[in-house]
Structure formats: structure tokens, C-alpha cells
Amino acid sequence: MNEPGLVHEAYTRFHTYSLHNQLLALAQCAERDIVPGPLRTFVGWQRLGRTVRKGEKAIILCSPATRRKEDDDEVIIAFTFGARWFALSQTVGDAYEEATSPSWSEDRAPD
């Protein structure tokens, strides 16, 4: 392995998401010819002065959902595929300043 690959690309584009969601988002972008980039919900883009272009289909990510059993205090954690996100390339509007992904630093690394 001499060059960064799929996992590196997913991390670079979607570093604030879980590894699973990074790969899920990147795969959906590749499948639909969407330029990978920052993700926000429909409302999230509106708050930044951008609008999702008409006809764009959302990227679906996995979200945890906790539930409590009715008869006791046991908490059940399930995962749903209902969160809907849109990439920057699916929007139009005000200029967007992309946040940089964090880089590794030996000074910050634990001993």
C-alpha cells in the first residue's frame, strides 16, 4: 500500500462520522456521481444560507436509537437507516467555507 485508499478518502471527507457512516456516505456518493463533501440535513443547509437543489436524493446514514422496554428499565439500542443528509455539491447558495479535517500530531498523541 503506497497510496491512501478508500478508508483515507472516507475519513478525509467525513471525519466527524463513524467509520461505518464514512464508508456508507462515500459509497453512495460514488454510486450516484455526487462529489463527496461536507454533509448536512436539509434544514442544516438552510441555516447556512444554502438550498438543496430540487430533485436531489438524500444520502442515508445509520443512526443509533435507544428505546426502553415498557415493563422494566432495560435500554435497548437499535440502529436505523433513516437519517437523511445532503452533500455540499447537492446544494446552491451562499459561499461555504469548508472545515479542515484534523491531522495527526505526535504532540497530541497519548503516551
Side-chain angles (χ1 to χ4, degrees):
M1 293 182 59
N2 298 346
E3 300 175 15
L6 181 65
V7 174
H8 178 266
E9 174 71 11
Y11 174 76
T12 301
R13 297 294 181 182
F14 310 114
H15 65 273
T16 60
Y17 299 91
S18 68
L19 178 60
H20 178 266
N21 278 336
Q22 290 175 12
L23 296 173
L24 191 58
L26 190 61
Q28 290 176 71
C29 287
E31 182 179 303
R32 293 190 277 161
D33 293 324
I34 297 170
V35 176
L39 298 177
R40 300 270 186 281
T41 61
F42 186 87
V43 172
W45 283 120
Q46 285 181 326
R47 287 184 187 135
L48 295 175
R50 299 189 66 83
T51 307
V52 175
R53 287 193 304 263
K54 187 173 182 164
E56 291 288 349
K57 295 192 181 201
I59 294 169
I60 307 299
L61 299 181
C62 182
S63 300
T66 57
R67 304 208 190 308
R68 213 173 268 287
K69 284 187 174 182
E70 289 182 29
D71 54 346
D72 61 25
D73 288 336
E74 184 179 349
V75 174
I76 299 170
I77 299 175
F79 292 90
T80 62
F81 288 93
R84 301 188 187 293
W85 303 86
F86 296 91
L88 174 63
S89 62
Q90 295 176 284
T91 68
V92 293
D94 294 348
Y96 177 78
E97 190 174 318
E98 188 170 355
T100 57
S101 62
S103 59
W104 187 84
S105 167
E106 186 175 0
D107 294 334
R108 292 187 328 209
D111 291 333

